Amino acid sequence: MASLNFDAHVIEPAVAHDTLPAGKYLVAIGSSLMKPTKNGVGSYLEIEYQVLDGEHKGRKLWSRHNLEHPNQQTVEIARKELSAVCRAVGVMTPKDSAELHNLPLTVMVKIKKRADNGEPTNEIAAWAKPDAVQDKPAQTTTTPPWLRR
């Protein structure tokens, strides 16, 4: 039992969120943690991302990277994904995953069906540097007068 001093009249209730639409999102890593796999024979790095702008600002996404696993192909995939994250945030040799936090990057999100219940879920398919278009105004080109006709 827990003693509570709480009034639900003054707090808006939590609402369920649907999956984010597939596409590119500007995000930052908010937290990361090594966790054991379900069967206990490995561990994965779980990374939590927060959307920084647009209609879905504040929403969260997660990725898991099996860095310790008996299947070497699984580890290879995880290491390549982590390399993409590092390159996207510009931290090439992190000693701790916290060095990747709070730096903007772009993720490509897709929708897939969960294996356990068939419900749709988001999956991060790619990581990249923040889109340059967001930082620079569009450039216009003008045709020199001698080429106009």
Side-chain angles (χ1 to χ4, degrees), residues 8 44-45 64 78 88 98 106 136:
Y44 61 90
L45 176 65
R64 292 180 174 173
T106 299
K136 298 178 184 174

Side-chain angles (χ1 to χ4, degrees), residues 37-54:
T37 57
K38 267 193 243 184
N39 62 11
V41 297
S43 59
Y44 61 90
L45 176 65
E46 183 176 73
I47 301 176
E48 179 186 88
Y49 307 83
Q50 186 166 13
V51 177
L52 297 177
D53 66 0

